[in-house]
Amino acid sequence: VYVNKFMLTDGDFRYPFITVLCTNLFLWLWALVLTAAGVLKLPYCSRDIFLRQALPAGICMGLDIGLANWSLQYLNVTFFTIVRGAIPSFVLVFGLVCGLDDVDPVKIFSILAVCVGISLASMGEVQFHVPGVIMCVMSCVISGARWVLVQIVMSRDERLLEVQRAATTPLGAILLITPITVMTCVPFAIAFEVRSFLESPWAHEPARRKMAFEYILVAAIIAFFLQLSKYHLVKATSSPSMSLMGIFKQLLTIGGAVMIFGDRISIIKAAGFVICSGGLLSYAFVKQTRRDRAPARRASMDS
């Protein structure tokens, strides 16, 4: 977030979809290199799975990151992070829609708490940029769908052949999804950014070109390891668990934004974040408690 914020605003590199396109192109090329080196088997994916799972996941990834970076041009890091804190609630909603989870009062409370928290945070934002907020909320909704789809892609039957199981590994998912993400960003980059980029100093001044290349390279390296860790977490647990783990990252991001960018946190904005996080953490606590009690219940039933 810090690197993107610096380049998109202070660095005046206002090309979010070009950034997402190039970084994911790097991710795909690195995954291809690892495949050629024998580290990763080329994942097998049937036409039906590609169209119903991988393709929507890749499209959602491109729109999610592109819209999020676009909104970051207009929102400060603190407010952006608080709004993005709504992602776990959308993951829960799409998980319910896709049948990955069941409806219960705790989940309803968690989703309502997130809505109230985001509303309070919005009321506490002095520099409220409506298009920026709309794009950020849209990216949150799309991100919820994206991570549920990623969970479906990576939870395919483990009895499949080894070459088929390769698609369910984190590297296999990157190799499968990132080309779709690149193609999703192409029309947006052409429509909104390419002409402006070609007419800007970024395309003509060697120093600017070098800076842009270094920025995209650093962003790609960070994105590669971030995607690997997220895919590992989704595969080991679930998409809601991965999203809830992001609360700790959000706290660190907000603290860094105050120190690095001088963001101010009002009492209302802080209260909104606390309510939002509290609702999500209550869901995580209840879910973990139920999981811990499940073996004891099964043992008592067996006896």
Side-chain angles (χ1 to χ4, degrees):
V1 173
Y2 300 147
V3 174
N4 288 336
K5 179 63 175 176
F6 174 76
M7 284 300 295
L8 290 169
T9 55
D10 297 349
D12 201 33
F13 189 81
R14 299 181 180 275
Y15 310 104
F17 280 100
I18 289 178
T19 301
V20 178
L21 190 158
C22 293
T23 53
N24 278 275
L25 187 60
F26 272 116
L27 295 187
W28 183 52
L29 291 175
W30 288 339
L32 283 177
V33 170
L34 292 173
T35 303
V39 177
L40 170 70
K41 291 182 180 295
L42 189 66
Y44 168 82
C45 183
S46 68
R47 182 175 179 272
D48 182 59
I49 291 174
F50 177 80
L51 292 176
R52 294 177 57 187
Q53 299 175 10
L55 182 63
I59 293 173
C60 286
M61 182 175 175
L63 294 176
D64 169 23
I65 304 174
L67 288 171
N69 285 350
W70 202 350
S71 69
L72 195 55
Q73 294 181 94
Y74 308 107
L75 307 177
N76 62 48
V77 173
T78 300
F79 185 54
F80 171 84
T81 303
I82 291 174
V83 176
R84 293 283 289 180
I87 290 175
S89 65
F90 292 113
V91 172
L92 286 176
V93 170
F94 283 105
L96 294 173
V97 171
C98 295
L100 299 180
D101 225 331
D102 300 320
V103 179
D104 64 48
V106 176
K107 291 168 189 169
I108 295 174
F109 166 76
S110 175
I111 293 170
L112 290 176
V114 169
C115 295
V116 172
I118 296 301
S119 300
L120 277 177
S122 301
M123 291 169 59
E125 177 61 23
V126 178
Q127 297 176 339
F128 192 88
H129 190 276
V130 175
V133 173
I134 292 174
M135 285 187 288
C136 193
V137 172
M138 287 174 60
S139 75
C140 293
V141 176
I142 295 170
S143 184
R146 166 195 172 191
W147 287 112
V148 168
L149 288 166
V150 168
Q151 181 180 346
I152 294 172
V153 169
M154 299 192 67
S155 61
R156 287 163 58 193
D157 195 339
E158 291 297 324
R159 294 171 296 181
L160 294 172
L161 297 173
E162 184 178 358
V163 69
Q164 293 174 295
R165 288 202 304 270
T168 68
T169 65
L171 273 174
I174 288 177
L175 189 61
L176 192 63
I177 293 173
T178 49
I180 306 168
T181 302
V182 171
M183 296 306 297
T184 301
C185 293
V186 167
F188 290 93
I190 292 174
F192 299 109
E193 298 173 1
V194 168
R195 182 176 179 180
S196 174
F197 176 79
L198 293 176
E199 295 174 352
S200 71
W202 294 102
H204 302 288
E205 297 179 5
R208 288 290 188 101
R209 284 202 300 266
K210 181 175 179 291
M211 183 179 178
F213 176 79
E214 291 172 348
Y215 158 58
I216 290 173
L217 182 62
V218 170
I221 292 171
I222 294 173
F224 183 74
F225 290 105
L226 186 62
Q227 293 301 322
L228 277 181
S229 62
K230 286 184 175 182
Y231 288 165
H232 270 296
L233 189 56
V234 169
K235 186 172 178 62
T237 56
S238 65
S239 48
S241 299
M242 184 279 300
S243 301
L244 290 166
M245 287 290 205
I247 292 176
F248 180 65
K249 184 192 78 171
Q250 291 162 5
L251 288 171
L252 294 177
T253 303
I254 291 173
V258 173
M259 292 185 292
I260 297 172
F261 295 101
D263 290 0
R264 294 182 179 180
I265 304 178
S266 65
I267 296 176
I268 296 178
K269 189 186 292 185
F273 182 74
V274 170
I275 292 173
C276 180
S277 301
L280 294 171
L281 289 174
S282 65
Y283 163 75
F285 175 76
V286 172
K287 184 176 181 180
Q288 187 60 46
T289 303
R290 291 174 179 173
R291 186 177 297 171
D292 293 339
R293 290 176 180 173
R297 288 180 180 175
R298 285 195 295 268
S300 62
M301 290 176 65
D302 293 339
S303 61

